[in-house]
Amino acid sequence: MDLRVCFENKESVNVNDAAMMKHYTKSYLADFDPEWAGFIMLPHDETKRATMEPAWQVLIRDATARTEQELLRYIDENPMAAYHVHVYRRDDGRNENKIH
């Protein structure tokens, strides 16, 4: 499975520097070997703020069920300052399911 981890900024945060966010997100998820993927627009009903602002994203490719569980636990136990974190899982095929 592939996991997509998206970072939606909280209201008081405005970061437009991709290089800084790449470093920040890859450092935050270093144990999961994330691949930087730029930004994505998330559906309003899946975000906390329901704005048209892009969310930064990384991919964790070929994840196992154990990796998925460890990632979700890590995010819950170590929230990323200033960001809402969304996680999507894609099994075989094109569709993703939001899991966090």
Side-chain angles (χ1 to χ4, degrees), residues 1-3 60-66 68 89-92:
M1 83 180 80
D2 291 334
L3 301 172
I60 301 171
R61 299 202 187 266
D62 301 319
T64 64
R66 181 176 178 176
E68 177 188 29
R89 179 180 63 218
R90 179 176 46 205
D91 296 307
D92 296 326

Side-chain angles (χ1 to χ4, degrees), residues 1-97:
M1 83 180 80
D2 291 334
L3 301 172
R4 177 186 308 276
V5 185
C6 300
F7 302 89
E8 173 192 3
N9 65 298
K10 293 184 178 176
E11 190 170 347
S12 62
V13 178
N14 184 13
V15 175
N16 295 328
D17 186 335
M20 191 220 61
M21 279 305 296
K22 179 180 180 179
H23 174 74
Y24 193 28
T25 58
K26 289 186 84 172
S27 294
Y28 175 66
L29 296 174
D31 290 344
F32 299 96
D33 193 27
E35 172 188 331
W36 175 247
F39 69 89
I40 189 170
M41 302 301 287
L42 297 175
H44 287 182
D45 62 339
E46 294 181 9
T47 64
K48 299 283 185 179
R49 297 185 53 220
T51 63
M52 283 298 291
E53 296 180 39
W56 301 102
Q57 64 179 341
V58 297
L59 304 174
I60 301 171
R61 299 202 187 266
D62 301 319
T64 64
R66 181 176 178 176
T67 300
E68 177 188 29
Q69 292 171 344
E70 289 173 356
L71 173 68
L72 296 177
R73 182 173 39 255
Y74 175 79
I75 290 169
D76 287 341
E77 293 175 358
N78 302 287
M80 186 180 212
Y83 288 86
H84 303 290
V85 180
H86 306 274
V87 181
Y88 297 83
R89 179 180 63 218
R90 179 176 46 205
D91 296 307
D92 296 326
R94 299 176 72 136
N95 295 329
E96 292 180 325
N97 294 311

